[in-house]
Amino acid sequence: QVSVLYFARSAELAGLRSETLSVPRQITSLQLWEEIVKVHPRLAVIRDQVVFAVQQEYVLLGDQLLVLQPGDEVAIIPPISGG
């Protein structure tokens, strides 16, 4: 189980700021995103703009293999608009 944190637009789309999800221990970043989108389908609209941070390390969506430990923190960071 990992702790998923949602920020800005991802929090709006998911309807919450954090939750705990059960995911495989070894998973690619893209598969992890797909698991999260299964729970919150509305997040699919930000797929091309989203960045993950796993244990505060940025991860791009793709086939990078992640080895997650129970309690790891996964942050969903959508694009931040400046002004």
Side-chain angles (χ1 to χ4, degrees), residues 8-9 31 39 61 64 69:
R9 181 131 164 85
Q31 289 168 330
V39 178
L61 291 185
Q64 177 180 350
Q69 303 298 322

Side-chain angles (χ1 to χ4, degrees), residues 4-19 33 36 39-47 49-52 74-80:
V4 183
L5 307 177
Y6 300 94
F7 294 94
R9 181 131 164 85
S10 68
E12 291 170 25
L13 293 169
L16 55 124
R17 296 240 174 249
S18 65
E19 67 183 333
W33 172 250
I36 293 168
V39 178
H40 302 289
R42 294 176 59 201
L43 289 172
V45 300
I46 60 171
R47 180 199 188 280
Q49 304 139 350
V50 78
V51 176
F52 271 171
V74 177
I76 310 298
I77 305 167
I80 310 288

Side-chain angles (χ1 to χ4, degrees), residues 52-68:
F52 271 171
V54 177
Q55 291 300 96
Q56 301 180 353
E57 298 271 331
Y58 286 111
V59 176
L60 296 176
L61 291 185
D63 31 354
Q64 177 180 350
L65 185 64
L66 306 174
V67 179
L68 301 171

